[in-house]
Amino acid sequence: MEFPAMFHRIMFVECVGIGDPPGDDLLAFSLSLIKAIDMTPLGDPVIRYADVGALSGTTVVAPMKESALQLHTWPEQGEGFMTLLLYSCKDYEPQKVLDMIEQAFHPAARQWKVV
């Protein structure tokens, strides 16, 4: 069996030192990022807060016509830890994503990978 010949780009970013951004800021960032990389949202992003002690945090999931964006924060870890997962079947500029993260959250450090 062969896999279909489709384009997929997966970008994973981890950031520390972002503090505790409010949920409204996370939603606004998600929508701004989707627009900046020329993707099409499928409705409003979903945001949820999970209260689980030291691992409490906020998750944003934004379905897109071109796949999905997930953003997770853990304010009590690493002076504010965040991960972003962007899965797309449409090409985009990873540097634009990194620039927007830097501008919005000013992380103390970040690491990232594109597959």
Side-chain angles (χ1 to χ4, degrees):
M1 173 161 292
E2 293 185 30
F3 288 96
M6 298 172 62
F7 174 85
H8 291 100
R9 174 171 279 169
I10 302 167
M11 182 174 190
F12 182 69
V13 184
E14 293 180 310
C15 300
V16 293
I18 66 158
D20 187 6
D24 288 346
D25 290 356
L26 297 173
L27 282 174
F29 171 78
S30 299
L31 290 170
S32 294
L33 178 60
I34 290 168
K35 182 177 181 180
I37 59 174
D38 198 30
M39 302 286 177
T40 310
L42 293 175
D44 294 328
V46 174
I47 184 168
R48 296 290 184 265
Y49 177 78
D51 187 359
V52 287
L55 295 177
S56 295
T58 302
T59 296
V60 177
V61 177
M64 303 178 300
K65 180 179 174 183
E66 300 82 6
S67 287
L69 167 72
Q70 296 177 24
L71 181 68
H72 307 279
T73 65
W74 295 270
E76 296 183 30
Q77 303 297 316
E79 297 179 19
F81 180 58
M82 178 182 82
T83 63
L84 180 141
L85 177 63
L86 179 58
Y87 182 86
S88 178
C89 55
K90 179 180 176 183
D91 200 9
Y92 58 90
E93 293 292 328
Q95 188 61 50
K96 188 177 282 188
V97 176
L98 295 172
D99 291 347
M100 289 189 70
I101 290 170
E102 184 68 36
Q103 191 173 35
F105 301 108
H106 310 289
R110 71 171 184 228
Q111 59 187 10
W112 59 282
K113 184 175 186 174
V114 175
V115 180

